[in-house]
Amino acid sequence: SPAMLFLRKESIDSSLSSIRILFDQLTICNGSEIYYSNLKSTDSKFTRLDLADFQIETQIISAILFNNKLYVLTEHELLIFNQNN
């Protein structure tokens, strides 16, 4: 079987709670923030997603980007955000 080669290490200042990949979009969560990376990009940097001053009152379990929408799963809700251009 083929061996996996280490590419690089990314550091985030808090514990991560989930990682999701859909096509070329990677989302990771730390319970209160969501980070995004485009895997087709040459630098694949992580960017914290701005929820336009919306305060999520419970812990973020998971998040995923699909069709220009952000789906955020919390302990008791599924929140859906449209991308603001």
Side-chain angles (χ1 to χ4, degrees):
S1 68
M4 297 297 291
L5 298 175
F6 179 77
L7 295 177
R8 71 174 197 263
K9 179 180 175 178
E10 293 285 336
S11 296
I12 296 193
D13 294 335
S14 59
S15 298
L16 299 177
S17 58
S18 78
I19 181 170
R20 298 278 185 251
I21 299 172
L22 182 63
F23 303 112
D24 59 346
Q25 300 179 48
L26 169 68
T27 54
I28 57 176
C29 302
N30 69 4
S32 61
E33 297 175 313
I34 303 165
Y35 295 87
Y36 160 80
S37 180
N38 182 338
L39 299 176
K40 284 188 177 180
S41 173
T42 55
D43 64 3
S44 297
K45 292 186 343 183
F46 284 98
T47 304
R48 188 177 66 79
L49 294 179
D50 180 12
L51 300 180
D53 297 326
F54 185 87
Q55 297 296 319
I56 297 177
E57 297 178 8
T58 61
Q59 182 160 335
I60 297 171
I61 308 284
S62 183
I64 195 163
L65 287 162
F66 185 69
N67 286 341
N68 294 323
K69 291 188 173 126
L70 174 66
Y71 296 84
V72 179
L73 179 65
T74 69
E75 293 175 313
H76 303 288
E77 300 173 308
L78 176 62
L79 307 171
I80 303 168
F81 296 86
N82 272 326
Q83 183 175 354
N84 187 10
N85 291 330

